[in-house]
Amino acid sequence: MDYRSPSSVKEAVDLLAAHDGAAHVLAGGTDLLVKLRAGFVDPKLVLDVKGIPQLRAIESDARGFRIGAAASCAEIAEHAALGAAWPGVVEALRLIGSTQIQGRATLGGNLCNASPAADSVPALIAAGALCQVAGPGGEREVAVEKVVTGPGRTSLTRGEFVLAFRLDKPRPRSGDAYLRLIPRTGMDIAVVGVGVAFTLDAAGVCTHARVGLGAVAPTPLLVAEAARALIGSRVDDKALAALAAAASAACKPIDDKRGTIAYRVKVAGVLARRAAQIALERDRAR
């Protein structure tokens, strides 16, 4: 196994493109090292991207925020402006593993590990996050919900890797939240994870909404029907009931040791409703 630590995006792209499916990107390593030690993967190349400055930076501009794919969850969670703008995204990051894990784990790794139960992904989907992807053909942007194509699989092509995430500044009168259910009190994989974000107009009517679900299908989901349940409403009990029903209807889960299909379907609706209520309170507090 070869180990490389490139200092530029071009160098990283060239190294990845030269290894046909036999290279793995190392950002934080909290998933990759576990897989290596367990013998689940046998890469010919481990590409450590933490030495590329733009992958570690967290920046804000007129558009919003740019979060380097190799910035740690702990670093992101300490960014005051980002936490004020997108508290649901930050609370999802704070649920990834332990304090020690959060010092290493990254947004890029949490997404590209392609676990259906990744905590950050439903929150990023709800926030409308975009990925900046670099590859042999240059750079492109892709919606977060389009990256994971199945357990352990992504839409990234040969030579491509995630550079950063873009989060626009939230619209006025917006709120977001993320909730998950786990079997234990901490450091466990989600049975269900739900991210909700929406915007209200001056009259208190919802004009925009996005809902993301995790751990209830082979990939994290953007649930358009759940968003439509909120749009045009005052996020009242009737709308929240419709939101819960739509979230449950979108689920395509499996039975496993963490929960049954029926349990996950029910919990998805309950958490969607609760997350929307938290987002509403945050909107009112702004």
Side-chain angles (χ1 to χ4, degrees):
M1 183 180 72
D2 192 12
Y3 168 89
R4 297 290 186 91
S5 181
S7 58
S8 71
V9 172
K10 183 181 184 307
E11 184 184 359
V13 169
D14 290 345
L15 285 166
L16 285 174
H19 288 74
D20 187 12
H24 285 252
V25 173
L26 171 66
T30 58
D31 288 309
L32 179 58
L33 292 180
V34 172
K35 291 179 178 179
L36 280 169
R37 289 170 178 165
F40 294 151
V41 296
D42 183 23
K44 303 303 180 187
L45 170 68
V46 171
L47 192 75
D48 187 343
V49 297
K50 295 190 297 300
I52 304 174
Q54 66 200 88
L55 268 77
R56 297 295 305 276
I58 306 170
E59 303 167 329
S60 60
D61 54 26
R63 175 180 170 183
F65 301 91
R66 181 189 180 281
I67 306 167
S72 73
C73 293
E75 291 170 318
I76 300 168
E78 291 174 356
H79 195 284
L82 179 60
W86 293 106
V89 172
V90 171
E91 63 196 357
L93 295 178
R94 291 187 183 277
L95 294 172
I96 297 173
S98 63
T99 300
Q100 294 91 332
I101 290 295
Q102 289 168 24
R104 293 287 303 180
T106 65
L107 267 188
N110 197 233
L111 173 65
C112 294
N113 185 52
S115 166
D119 279 308
S120 71
V121 183
L124 289 169
I125 289 173
L130 298 173
C131 287
Q132 291 183 324
V133 176
E139 296 183 11
R140 63 186 178 95
E141 284 193 337
V142 58
V144 166
E145 61 269 20
K146 299 293 186 180
V147 174
V148 180
T149 59
R153 302 195 306 273
T154 73
S155 60
L156 302 180
T157 61
R158 180 177 173 181
E160 286 191 326
F161 69 103
V162 176
L163 282 178
F165 295 81
R166 291 290 325 206
L167 281 170
D168 289 344
K169 288 183 178 178
R171 298 173 173 87
R173 295 212 60 187
S174 294
D176 77 316
Y178 175 77
L179 289 175
R180 74 170 183 185
L181 178 72
I182 57 174
R184 301 184 296 178
T185 56
M187 291 195 297
D188 208 340
I189 297 173
V191 174
V192 178
V194 182
V196 177
F198 55 77
T199 301
L200 306 181
D201 65 14
V205 175
C206 179
T207 58
H208 174 81
R210 287 174 65 94
V211 178
L213 290 180
V216 295
T219 66
L221 302 175
L222 171 65
V223 188
E225 192 64 32
R228 284 193 285 269
L230 296 176
I231 295 171
S233 78
R234 295 180 180 273
V235 194
D236 52 18
D237 286 344
K238 181 179 179 181
L240 291 172
L243 164 69
S248 291
C251 295
K252 299 175 182 178
I254 60 171
D255 284 318
D256 65 15
K257 63 183 180 182
R258 293 182 178 85
T260 64
I261 291 173
Y263 185 61
R264 282 189 159 106
V265 168
K266 176 67 175 179
V267 168
V270 172
L271 291 188
R273 182 181 188 122
R274 290 179 183 176
Q277 290 171 319
I278 294 169
L280 182 62
E281 290 303 314
R282 287 173 173 166
D283 167 76
R284 288 171 174 169
R286 286 177 168 172

